[in-house]
Amino acid sequence: MSENITLSLAEVRELSESVLTSNGFNEAHAQAITDIIYTNQLGDCQSHGLYRLFMCTESIRSGRVSGTAEPTITDAGPAVVRADANDGISLLAMKAAMPMLIEKAKKNGVAALAINRCFHFSALWPEVEMLSEAGLAGMAMLPSHAWVAPAGGTRGLLGTNPFAFSWPRQGKAPFTFDFATSQFARGEIELYRRAGKPLPEGVAIDKDGQPTTDAEAAMDGAMLTFGGHKGSALSLMIELMAGPLIDDLTSKESMEAAGGKPEAPYHGEIILAFDPYLLSGGRVAENNGRAERLFADVIDQGARLPSQRRQAAQAFNSERDAVEIPKALYDELVALKA
């Protein structure tokens, strides 16, 4: 059984920022990236927490990611914001553009943010929860690298193509979900590989297109979408919405741009915001009550709302001001600063 180490929340933030700045990210990028890594680690989202520092450092060491790029934010229409990350990690551009997106959504009822020319590595739920914290419903989606085979296919074409949604709840943590359209996120496969654990059945195929539970073989082959043809169709929708729709790359084009280097995917992202006040004709309180009855009916059946486990972990770890990670992971992360 692997040995764990306990880090205070301040130590999580310090470790992340120091790894990033020692590898060439400026303070603004290091803080924006750390905000998301910290939030994921706080919620015990291990595959998108401190572990993602490996991809960040690999990406900047490849020479293609800029650690100092200033994002360009453009007011592109009454309900459209465009953010050019200028070959930086997406999170600083997202952070810079979010206030304008929120303002436009509250003025028009709906608004869209297109983030272009960015490298992306992170979970999407913190981004859509920024919208729900502002009283808006939000969606976000993006491609990645062509690691996933379409339903009935034998090789990678689609990305893991995550989709996230968040709904504001009055006086409560938002209703949020964030999932890859592949059976597993790429980071989960890597964690299985590192742990030497077999994958569940139906998650991946090897390089010959045959089913496999070997994580190493899966990394050389392709992952599978959830729900067969249904997940495959959703994944194709995300390729279109966050690719050609906003003039950015598909997952296959992103992988070709990387030239086989182990770096974060290079592409775009689309974030959509919806104002419950304008879209309901001002009947926010009444409709919030109807939404809460829907959530209560889920819980009354003994089911769990998405994010309940993560939100409970956030509360627990905040209360004790600490998280636990494998000591082997900690030692590897410290070595990244050398």
Side-chain angles (χ1 to χ4, degrees):
M1 196 168 180
S2 62
E3 179 186 356
N4 284 346
I5 185 171
T6 300
L7 299 178
S8 72
L9 299 185
E11 288 173 328
V12 170
R13 187 172 288 278
E14 190 280 331
L15 175 60
S16 177
E17 290 189 359
S18 62
V19 167
L20 292 166
T21 54
S22 67
N23 278 277
F25 289 98
N26 66 17
E27 186 175 337
H29 275 283
Q31 288 180 352
I33 295 169
T34 293
D35 284 346
I36 302 300
I37 284 177
Y38 173 93
T39 301
N40 277 278
Q41 197 66 55
L42 184 65
D44 285 345
C45 302
Q46 301 291 344
S47 65
H48 287 78
L50 289 166
Y51 162 72
R52 291 289 164 145
L53 288 170
F54 293 111
M55 183 171 279
C56 290
T57 55
E58 287 167 350
S59 297
I60 197 166
R61 288 173 180 178
S62 76
R64 296 188 62 239
V65 173
S66 171
T68 59
E70 287 285 335
T72 304
I73 311 302
T74 304
D75 184 339
V80 178
V81 185
R82 293 184 65 84
D84 188 334
N86 292 312
D87 294 345
I89 297 288
S90 64
L91 298 173
L92 186 59
M94 181 275 297
K95 182 178 178 180
M98 191 61 74
M100 187 184 293
L101 175 66
I102 292 170
E103 179 185 356
K104 285 181 178 292
K106 290 188 173 183
K107 181 177 180 180
N108 298 295
V110 296
L113 165 60
I115 304 175
N116 294 109
R117 298 205 300 150
C118 67
F119 290 85
H120 191 278
F121 72 91
S122 56
L124 292 177
W125 66 263
E127 302 182 14
V128 290
E129 285 200 350
M130 291 179 192
L131 295 173
S132 55
E133 287 166 6
L136 304 172
M139 294 181 182
M141 63 194 82
L142 47 80
S144 58
H145 278 338
W147 289 316
V148 182
T154 59
R155 63 182 184 276
L157 172 67
L158 308 171
T160 53
N161 293 8
F163 178 91
F165 172 81
S166 191
W167 174 269
R169 301 177 69 188
Q170 295 179 10
K172 298 181 181 180
F175 169 83
T176 305
F177 64 77
D178 176 6
F179 54 75
T181 48
S182 55
Q183 288 272 20
F184 270 24
R186 183 73 169 180
E188 290 178 286
I189 301 278
E190 173 63 13
L191 289 177
Y192 271 76
R193 188 189 69 79
R194 284 172 170 267
K197 293 166 53 180
L199 297 169
E201 297 279 353
V203 167
I205 54 178
D206 63 21
K207 62 182 180 181
D208 298 317
Q210 298 301 308
T212 184
T213 59
D214 185 303
E216 192 77 50
M219 298 291 279
D220 293 332
M223 294 182 283
L224 300 175
T225 61
F226 76 83
H229 68 280
K230 296 179 181 179
S232 186
L234 282 174
S235 187
L236 280 164
M237 178 197 76
I238 292 167
E239 293 279 347
L240 297 170
M241 291 286 288
L245 180 68
I246 63 169
D247 187 34
D248 222 304
L249 303 184
T250 65
S251 295
K252 185 176 181 180
E253 291 166 339
S254 173
M255 183 168 275
E256 289 169 350
K261 294 180 181 178
E263 62 187 30
Y266 180 66
H267 49 65
E269 174 183 358
I270 186 166
I271 303 176
L272 306 172
F274 308 88
D275 181 20
Y277 181 83
L278 288 178
L279 290 171
S280 70
R283 295 173 57 84
V284 174
E286 299 94 319
N287 287 292
N288 179 72
R290 295 174 64 230
E292 288 302 319
R293 286 193 294 276
L294 181 63
F295 298 143
D297 282 343
V298 172
I299 295 169
D300 286 346
Q301 296 184 36
R304 188 175 66 184
L305 294 174
S307 294
Q308 278 190 304
R309 182 208 60 79
R310 187 254 303 165
Q311 289 164 354
Q314 285 177 295
F316 176 74
N317 290 330
S318 294
E319 177 68 24
R320 67 177 182 142
D321 188 34
V323 297
E324 288 188 5
I325 67 170
K327 185 178 184 305
L329 173 62
Y330 175 77
D331 290 341
E332 286 185 78
L333 292 173
V334 170
L336 291 177
K337 295 190 285 185

